[in-house]
Amino acid sequence: MQGVIIKGIGGLYFVKVKDMIIECKARGKFRYAGLTPVIGDKVEIMLEVDESKGVIEKILIRDNEMIRPAVANVTQAFVVFAFKQPDLNMDLLNKFLVLCEFYRLKIVLCLNKLDLVEEVNEALIKELKSVGCDLVFLKAKEGQGLGELKTRIKDNITVFCGPSGVGKSTILNSLLGREAMKTGDISKKSQKGKHTTRHSELIEYEEGFLLDTPGFSALSLDFIDKEELQHCFPEFEKHRCGCRFSNCMHYKEPNCRVKEAVEANEIYTDRYKFYIKTLEEIIARGNRK
Ligand code: GDP
Ligand code: ZN
């Protein structure tokens, strides 16, 4: 039978099969092949005689795989940022968006702490929409906007991501009605992190799964190939075929349709600048190798 690993502790894996959770060990062959089962893995298991425990026989091919936290087959990201406290940092937001695109995740951009601003910056909202973001405004502390998120959970494995202090834990805990992620000020959290080893877990909710640990703890985009980077900018997509060179990186090449689209304000200049900055970092890293 097939199931999904929702938790793993000390070589034991908890596999959700229909309405049951079955404690499983993994076959030794995985270890020899250098393959470790991770949460999110779809697995084929065989029950032991007494049927309360099982053995993982096969790990199905992963759609994607993240490290720190180690999780497979994530389909969606709730990218959380605050309007204020901390201020919305576009560079950081773009980094998260690029990472989500790299892993081919559906993105729900959650803009929290709406209660702290007098009015919403419309230009900013327009820019975010141009990138194709599904936007949800929240006042998580007051529980506002959570319903919007609830409707997007079904059939997904969703990871929360975003900087510290924006309200990720507040949102997750309010959805679940219990403390699954630690809230509070940053210093308290990092202290806690030093002394405890966290096992990330998938929590079943609204016919989907939520990861109880924020995603993308390492924010470097360095590992992305320079040719791959442009595919993490969805708004470039429809212009790319107009470039003179089929392998155009929209950098120093002539007759580049993407650059023309930037000139014509069809692509936001800031997003293009962020693309070039990141591309140059990736190229510089390549040269160092
Ligand atoms: P995390 O680091 O992203 O998990 O953020 P937390 O959920 O721990 O929240 C950080 C701080 O922001 C806490 O003091 C929360 O009470 C506060 N907070 C969360 N949501 C809101 C909100 O909608 N409005 C305001 N004003 N504060 C919020
Ligand atoms: Zn081009």
Side-chain angles (χ1 to χ4, degrees), residues 189-257:
K189 284 191 206 187
S190 51
Q191 265 175 15
K192 177 107 186 148
K194 267 181 213 155
H195 304 293
T196 49
T197 3
R198 284 281 282 114
H199 291 284
S200 305
E201 199 176 315
L202 289 179
I203 303 168
E204 209 184 357
Y205 184 74
E206 296 282 325
E207 297 177 65
F209 291 105
L210 300 174
L211 185 64
D212 72 348
T213 311
F216 306 127
S217 59
L219 256 188
S220 162
L221 303 180
D222 265 17
F223 67 96
I224 301 176
D225 288 336
K226 60 181 193 290
E227 292 81 10
E228 176 70 19
L229 183 67
Q230 58 171 297
H231 299 291
C232 300
F233 290 76
E235 73 270 46
F236 290 7
E237 215 56 30
K238 67 175 183 203
H239 301 290
R240 277 180 33 229
C241 55
C243 294
R244 176 163 158 201
F245 300 105
S246 61
N247 61 352
C248 187
M249 286 201 286
H250 328 302
Y251 186 35
K252 291 178 177 167
E253 298 90 342
N255 301 84
C256 168
R257 177 68 195 109

Side-chain angles (χ1 to χ4, degrees), residues 83 88 90 93 111 121-129:
F83 282 102
L88 211 160
M90 281 305 280
L93 176 55
L111 294 178
N121 178 344
E122 287 302 330
L124 171 83
I125 300 308
K126 226 174 131 194
E127 175 167 354
L128 293 171
K129 284 197 173 147

